Amino acid sequence: MASLKDIKRHISAVKQTQKLTRAMNMVAAAKLRATQNRTERFRYYADEHARLIQEIADRSPVEASSLLSPVEDSQKALILAISSDRGLCGSFNSNIFSTLDKAVVRLIDEGLEPELFLIGRKARDYYLRRKITIHKAMVGVLGEMDYLAAQLIANELIESYSAGNYKEIWLLYTRFQSLSRLRVEFDRFLPLGQEESDQKAGPSELNPEALDYLVEPKAEILLPRLIPRSLTILIYRALLESVTSENAARMQAMDNASKSCKDIIESLTMAYNKARQAAVTSELLDIVNGAEALRG
Amino acid sequence: MSAREFKLTVVTPDKRFLWETPALAVGAIGSEGAFTALPGHVPFLTDLKAGRVWYRDPAGQEDSFLVTGGFVEVLPEEVTILADSAERYDEIDAERAERAQRRAEQRLRDAKNFLGARPQEAKVQVSPEEEERLKKERMELVRAEAALQRATARMKAARERSKYPHKKK
């Protein structure tokens, strides 16, 4: 049995840890409040944008923008995955990795060569040790990501897609639904428009309504203005959702850690009291035995 | 089937300005000129200039607000405006807009001076730092222009505030 002193030391160590986890919990909660608000207000705008470009993609002739048609001569697919820069956020990152691992396997099965575009230190560290091409890894940007950062990323993706480097570009991020519901989303980013599973029909057959849609100025002018913007908004939204989810996950994880600390402290205190009681009893026994012997 | 009312939605990156508000008519300034849309309009898509957007509610009352650019989608029974920002007329701060305008003009001048001082010979030999700097200044130019347009639109809106009906909040 551990000595009284050992147990006491252990208790104070766990108490220190508890202080730490509590503080981290509060920091995460404060950050969460700030980003959650922003994310939720941005959602309506992003949703409308997403709906609008989907509609345009479905209704416009494929020739209207190079971003609507699949690039046939490339076999590569790019996955943009957003993880976190810091750890201690529960299963936040491992959920992303397991989805990403599966997605990579699926794309390989489809005969594509997947490459990764990683945001966040955790994803880079994980995939550096694996046999997969990392197209690019951005580390330490999540703390100060803003619309401009999203714009730079979107432009880069659009450029390399337009240059015919990739056949498909996918987006992987964690969506914040509520504190206890974080869902990993895996969406196709480019090309826009119907999923592959839809039957392939000529543009004229596909959109009987295409001609009814009045676009001003001409689609060739307006779509290049609208589409990159909508794509930027998609990226920005993914970043916002991801950061919000990360903070929610960290808050939960730290809450659980604080609870575990409390449990450990309780059981250690119990052990400490028992040990103390045993020591007192044995000391008393010694004294009584000594006295008995003297009287003897 | 012709609808008699629109549902008007105006969203910006940081708020739902209007959400499925019933409207009898909606007007705005597109990049090809001002337009008015009535319910039953053919599907229509355009981008917006900074300026006034108005609508008439079912009671026949008009309301105006200011957007600083964006896109509008008109469908027979709904109108969706994706605005960069939207403000009520009575919320516009004319003084702030004026300050912003002066600031934007100054930035614009600075950026132009910088770029103007570097004529074509810069193309011959540009160090990476120089290249970076030029890129930054060009971005700055675009941003300052956008800021100037916004400020000018706000000031115009503030001047015309009394001319157009708008609801007090």
Side-chain angles (χ1 to χ4, degrees):
Chain A
M1 193 166 194
S3 78
L4 274 178
K5 218 173 166 188
D6 285 343
I7 299 178
K8 211 167 183 179
R9 197 179 300 132
H10 198 164
I11 290 177
S12 70
V14 177
K15 272 189 179 155
Q16 285 300 318
T17 311
Q18 192 186 27
K19 266 188 204 163
L20 212 98
T21 55
R22 273 211 188 120
M24 286 187 71
N25 174 279
M26 283 194 284
V27 170
K31 281 190 181 166
L32 177 69
R33 261 197 301 280
T35 50
Q36 185 182 353
N37 222 326
R38 204 143 62 108
T39 307
E40 279 170 356
R41 277 180 305 174
F42 190 69
R43 249 182 220 161
Y44 300 108
Y45 184 69
D47 280 345
E48 288 300 320
H49 251 286
R51 189 186 56 75
L52 186 62
I53 55 167
Q54 203 54 53
E55 212 158 284
I56 290 167
D58 293 349
R59 289 187 183 204
S60 321
V62 172
E63 308 84 67
S65 167
S66 61
L67 299 175
L68 296 173
S69 53
V71 182
E72 293 299 347
D73 50 346
S74 173
Q75 280 311 305
K76 291 199 285 184
L78 185 68
I79 306 174
L80 173 70
I82 307 173
S83 68
S84 73
D85 278 327
R86 290 152 200 265
L88 291 181
C89 44
S91 55
F92 177 75
N93 284 311
S94 49
N95 285 343
I96 291 172
F97 300 153
S98 73
T99 312
L100 185 49
D101 286 342
K102 275 182 217 140
V104 165
V105 170
R106 211 191 73 210
L107 289 176
I108 291 174
D109 285 346
E110 284 174 14
L112 297 169
E113 297 165 37
E115 285 187 14
L116 303 180
F117 186 131
L118 303 170
I119 298 177
R121 178 172 289 119
K122 291 289 156 186
R124 188 200 59 179
D125 292 352
Y126 182 85
Y127 285 98
L128 267 183
R129 286 182 271 121
R130 275 168 181 71
K131 274 190 190 157
I132 179 134
T133 322
I134 296 180
H135 167 78
K136 190 173 179 182
M138 291 173 89
V139 164
V141 291
L142 285 167
E144 49 198 68
M145 56 91 208
D146 53 5
Y147 189 74
L148 211 68
Q151 207 162 30
L152 292 176
I153 296 169
N155 284 346
E156 192 176 329
L157 293 180
I158 292 166
E159 260 168 42
S160 64
Y161 183 80
S162 307
N165 293 344
Y166 295 104
K167 192 178 177 199
E168 291 172 0
I169 298 183
W170 295 79
L171 187 57
L172 179 78
Y173 67 98
T174 311
R175 198 191 147 120
F176 176 81
Q177 282 178 316
S178 75
L179 256 186
S180 49
R181 279 182 63 114
L182 307 175
R183 222 176 59 209
V184 177
E185 298 272 350
F186 186 58
D187 299 333
R188 194 167 70 173
F189 181 67
L190 283 170
L192 297 163
Q194 282 88 1
E195 294 277 339
E196 295 274 314
S197 52
D198 293 3
Q199 78 270 27
K200 284 196 174 172
S204 48
E205 272 177 82
L206 201 80
N207 332 303
E209 291 168 279
L211 295 173
D212 291 345
Y213 216 97
L214 208 70
V215 176
E216 209 177 279
K218 280 184 305 198
E220 293 80 39
I221 301 173
L222 187 70
L223 293 188
R225 276 189 217 163
L226 177 62
I227 291 174
R229 198 186 161 91
S230 296
L231 293 174
T232 304
I233 285 162
L234 276 181
I235 302 261
Y236 186 52
R237 187 221 172 122
L239 285 169
L240 275 179
E241 295 270 0
S242 185
V243 171
T244 311
S245 302
E246 182 196 332
N247 284 319
R250 178 164 300 123
M251 201 178 111
Q252 287 276 304
M254 289 302 112
D255 199 38
N256 290 339
S258 303
K259 274 189 198 127
S260 302
C261 283
K262 201 176 144 230
D263 291 348
I264 293 173
I265 289 173
E266 251 167 42
S267 74
L268 281 176
T269 311
M270 189 74 89
Y272 177 80
N273 287 342
K274 271 185 186 160
R276 188 177 51 103
Q277 199 62 54
V280 170
T281 313
S282 74
E283 258 171 47
L284 266 179
L285 264 172
D286 277 353
I287 295 167
V288 172
N289 282 345
E292 286 290 325
L294 278 178
R295 218 192 306 164
Chain B
M1 186 196 74
S2 116
R4 320 190 62 222
E5 264 182 25
F6 275 136
K7 274 191 220 144
L8 175 63
T9 296
V10 181
V11 285
T12 73
D14 51 30
K15 59 180 178 260
R16 279 201 302 193
F17 188 76
L18 291 176
W19 190 255
E20 300 189 343
T21 307
L24 300 176
V26 178
I29 305 166
S31 60
E32 306 280 279
F35 66 88
T36 301
L38 297 173
H41 200 288
V42 291
F44 168 60
L45 176 75
T46 190
D47 50 352
L48 290 178
K49 277 189 173 167
R52 186 172 81 109
V53 175
W54 62 269
Y55 68 95
R56 192 176 309 129
D57 71 11
Q61 284 247 313
E62 264 186 36
D63 188 13
S64 316
F65 53 90
L66 177 75
V67 299
T68 54
F71 295 91
V72 58
E73 182 197 35
V74 180
L75 294 175
E77 289 175 32
E78 54 188 289
V79 176
T80 308
I81 297 179
L82 301 166
D84 298 346
S85 77
E87 282 160 85
R88 299 187 174 282
Y89 264 32
D90 50 321
E91 275 174 7
I92 296 168
D93 184 340
E95 278 170 35
R96 218 185 112 204
E98 208 178 329
R99 280 200 302 277
Q101 187 184 34
R102 274 201 295 273
R103 214 163 42 232
E105 277 168 354
Q106 184 58 42
R107 277 167 63 193
L108 204 57
R109 266 198 300 276
D110 289 348
K112 271 186 182 153
N113 282 344
F114 182 84
L115 292 171
R118 269 170 188 63
Q120 303 315 87
E121 83 254 27
K123 267 187 189 160
V124 186
Q125 207 174 33
V126 194
S127 64
E129 301 92 65
E130 189 96 346
E131 181 70 35
E132 193 72 6
R133 180 80 208 275
L134 277 170
K135 230 183 188 170
K136 247 187 202 156
E137 287 294 331
R138 276 193 211 108
M139 289 267 277
E140 171 69 16
L141 193 69
V142 175
R143 258 188 239 147
E145 258 164 20
L148 184 59
Q149 269 175 23
R150 278 198 303 273
T152 313
R154 278 203 187 101
M155 284 172 63
K156 185 160 175 263
R159 274 200 307 278
E160 293 171 349
R161 194 164 5 203
S162 51
K163 210 161 102 192
Y164 296 115
H166 58 274
K167 287 179 191 165
K168 291 267 189 309
K169 201 181 178 184

